[in-house]
Amino acid sequence: MQFPTHPKFSGPLTVASLAELMDEKPVAVIKYLMVDLGVMASMNQSLDPATCEAVVEGFGMYLDDWDEDEDDEDDDEDDEDDEDKE
């Protein structure tokens, strides 16, 4: 069985959604959250982006199209454009 190495997502996800993106079983993600991160979670619980990132990296994968810093830079550029228009 081949596992993906580049799950793509942005924003909060449920444990079940994250497991699906990673091609893992939700119970494996919940076990990792509980044992390695100390987070008690159910399948329907939302996880913040930082926790999602920690889980993905804990499974030996890395994020492809997601970076909080890039989002912040885009917001700053929009603010500068608004100032120029005034």
Side-chain angles (χ1 to χ4, degrees):
M1 181 174 205
Q2 192 174 25
F3 293 102
T5 56
H6 308 107
K8 296 180 182 183
F9 65 90
S10 63
L13 293 172
T14 63
V15 172
S17 298
L18 180 61
E20 184 178 331
L21 285 173
M22 293 172 31
D23 198 27
E24 291 285 340
K25 292 184 179 184
V27 70
V29 174
I30 292 171
K31 180 180 176 184
Y32 180 81
L33 285 165
M34 292 172 65
V35 173
D36 295 321
L37 299 180
V39 175
M40 190 73 168
S42 68
M43 282 180 49
N44 298 322
Q45 183 171 339
S46 292
L47 299 174
D48 62 281
T51 304
C52 291
E53 182 177 4
V55 171
V56 169
E57 290 175 356
F59 276 83
M61 302 174 192
Y62 61 95
L63 302 173
D64 191 25
D65 262 357
W66 185 74
D67 187 1
E68 287 179 314
D69 295 335
E70 286 181 10
D71 293 340
D72 292 341
E73 289 174 8
D74 291 342
D75 291 342
D76 293 341
E77 290 175 7
D78 292 340
D79 293 340
E80 290 172 7
D81 291 340
D82 291 340
E83 290 171 5
D84 293 338
K85 291 179 184 177
E86 292 176 3

